[in-house]
Amino acid sequence: MGEIFKQNSINLAISTMTILFGYYFDLGGASFWFGGLLVIPAIAIWFQFKFALGSFLLRLGIAVLPWLALCLIGLLWASKTEHDGQRAMNMFFFEMLLYSVVAGVVVVTARFFFQKTKARS
């Protein structure tokens, strides 16, 4: 259990720092206009899930937790914005991340269960 915890902690720390640095350096803003926010988080969830250890739910939690934290912080921050137009754009920005996270979870879950079914055959 110690090795799983250590590996998952490293995975979680690296992915969280990468997400926050990307957001801090405004890579999300550039991605927003080119559709990257609908693709990049889903691909990142795939890789985070792949390198996490443990049960399916633990691996999925490790993959999704940093993205959900960013979405939650962003949605709370955007909801407190005073200007309606800016609030709508900020909400849309974080909603795109959320949609990508959901798509990534669906793809990872479908692939996981497909591989389980294929292995049993």
Side-chain angles (χ1 to χ4, degrees), residues 4 9 43 52 62 76 85 95 116:
I4 291 175
S9 297
I43 292 171
I62 295 296
L76 291 173
E95 286 172 0
K116 282 282 207 187

Side-chain angles (χ1 to χ4, degrees), residues 24-80:
Y24 178 74
F25 290 116
D26 204 29
L27 296 177
S31 300
F32 174 76
W33 296 108
F34 298 109
L37 292 181
L38 291 174
V39 177
I40 294 170
I43 292 171
I45 284 176
W46 177 277
F47 283 107
Q48 288 166 309
F49 180 82
K50 181 179 178 180
F51 292 112
L53 300 175
S55 68
F56 171 75
L57 290 177
L58 179 62
R59 292 170 62 195
L60 192 63
I62 295 296
V64 170
L65 187 65
W67 294 102
L68 288 181
L70 178 64
C71 286
L72 179 66
I73 291 167
L75 288 172
L76 291 173
W77 170 71
S79 68
K80 294 181 179 183

Side-chain angles (χ1 to χ4, degrees), residues 4-25:
I4 291 175
F5 179 77
K6 180 181 174 187
Q7 181 65 31
N8 285 339
S9 297
I10 292 170
N11 185 349
L12 193 58
I14 290 172
S15 61
T16 302
M17 287 188 313
T18 303
I19 291 166
L20 292 176
F21 284 141
Y23 180 71
Y24 178 74
F25 290 116

